[in-house]
Amino acid sequence: MRYIIIGAGAVGGAVGGRLAEAGHEVVLVARGAQYAALRDGGLRLRVPEGEFTYLLPVVEGPAGLGVLRADDVLVLAVKTQDTEGALDAWGPAPVEGGGTAAERLPLLCAQNGVEGQRVALRRFRHVYGVCVWLPATFVEPGLVSAAGSPLTGILHLGVYPHGTDETARRIAADLEKSRFEAPVVPDLARWQYAKLLSNLANAVEAVAGPVEGEEALALVERVRAEGVAVLEAAGIAYTSPEEQHEVRRDKITLLPLDDAPRGGGSSWQSLTRGTGTIEADYLNGEIALLGRLHGVPTPLNDLLQRLANTCARERREAGSMPVGELVRLADEAVTATAQQRSGNQRSGNQRSGK
């Protein structure tokens, strides 16, 4: 199979580079400065074993490949907010023997959150979800670092919305030859919602810097507890921290890499790069959405979603808000929500004559 990595940034670059290292055929898809760097100098992947350069085909879109092959696998590694544009471009692409990519080819959604694969299923017939545990950083155009050892990452795979099949198992076999563990599971959503709970801290890190110290850690715990309450109200299952630890154990240890600091997570990296967008709508915003659907207040996730989007839109520096200020705003948001709910309850009682 040939792997077409749509979005050759941190995650896409790490997956594409490791697949290429193991001898698999890989095409990278990128735009702007990243496209130019990959075209002119190849993909540079900095990992614990050293820095390697992979001279791989790179295109800006499907036109660069002409007719797609019947054995192509599309790996969607763009941020969720960029999903629609990628699907618009790749869905109609013709495939040898007839039909389009949306009709015939497998699409792996290697993204944070749970919305990208749902959007994809409106266009593509064969959608696979990926729960991505892969510490990787976009260092500069053309250079990606992945500090995990001995495994680069753990990528749970499954058919979306549920189940497994032979295609998923074949892809997993290729990934497991490429320094990944790739369990194929019928209940992928359980792993993705657990990852979503951990990703709720991304906005805290992006807005107020590294999650260190009692104030930041306590805030993250409150944000996660809000997410847990929402998932339980919605009847959505998720893997426990104990189950996750049993899978991970000591398989991924972060090692220091020369001139390639780990930096922050994906949201922090978006602010650092000044992209103008951030994935908060599909992380904290997912919890806000479910909270509204099921009558659970989510003031902390509402606040983080709004602040992260403001930081991205105004291209503020990552971590520019003091954590104490963020905690103050969080406390105010919780208090305001409690007062509003109390007021609404009193009004309801008065209308009912109680």
Side-chain angles (χ1 to χ4, degrees), residues 338-348:
Q339 290 174 343
Q340 182 179 20
R341 286 172 64 84
S342 177
N344 290 343
Q345 186 176 25
R346 287 196 300 270
S347 297

Side-chain angles (χ1 to χ4, degrees), residues 28-46:
L28 303 177
V29 182
R31 298 177 300 179
Q34 178 71 342
Y35 167 77
L38 295 173
R39 177 197 61 198
D40 298 340
L43 170 65
R44 295 158 55 209
L45 180 61
R46 191 170 292 166

Side-chain angles (χ1 to χ4, degrees), residues 179-311:
R179 295 181 184 265
F180 294 100
E181 186 168 293
V184 178
V185 295
D187 56 347
L188 181 68
R190 291 178 62 246
W191 297 92
Q192 291 179 314
Y193 277 103
K195 177 79 181 326
L196 173 66
L197 289 175
S198 67
N199 283 147
L200 299 179
N202 286 21
V204 175
E205 180 185 57
V207 171
V211 179
E212 301 170 347
E214 291 185 8
E215 274 192 309
L217 290 170
L219 176 59
V220 166
E221 186 55 37
R222 293 166 65 193
V223 172
R224 186 184 186 280
E226 200 175 82
V228 167
V230 165
L231 294 187
E232 292 181 350
I236 295 174
Y238 56 94
T239 55
S240 67
E242 293 75 21
E243 189 174 358
Q244 295 174 62
H245 177 72
E246 179 62 25
V247 170
R248 294 181 187 178
R249 288 182 284 180
D250 56 355
K251 297 174 184 176
I252 302 177
T253 299
L254 300 185
L255 300 180
L257 302 178
D258 293 340
D259 301 321
R262 165 73 178 106
S266 55
S267 298
W268 183 90
Q269 292 182 51
S270 291
L271 292 189
T272 299
R273 294 172 62 188
T275 62
T277 65
I278 201 166
E279 58 191 340
D281 285 347
Y282 304 101
L283 301 178
N284 308 93
E286 181 69 25
I287 296 301
L289 169 63
L290 289 171
R292 291 164 194 155
L293 288 173
H294 297 279
V296 179
T298 58
L300 298 177
N301 282 282
D302 293 350
L303 172 69
L304 289 170
Q305 179 185 6
R306 176 172 58 81
L307 290 177
N309 279 321
T310 299
C311 289

Side-chain angles (χ1 to χ4, degrees), residues 136-195:
T137 301
F138 180 96
V139 180
E140 64 185 31
L143 175 60
V144 169
S145 71
S149 179
L151 292 178
T152 299
I154 300 176
L155 307 173
H156 282 73
L157 303 177
V159 177
Y160 181 77
H162 49 74
T164 64
D165 65 10
E166 183 58 28
T167 297
R169 287 186 284 272
R170 289 178 60 200
I171 293 169
D174 285 351
L175 289 169
E176 293 195 339
K177 297 173 185 173
S178 309
R179 295 181 184 265
F180 294 100
E181 186 168 293
V184 178
V185 295
D187 56 347
L188 181 68
R190 291 178 62 246
W191 297 92
Q192 291 179 314
Y193 277 103
K195 177 79 181 326

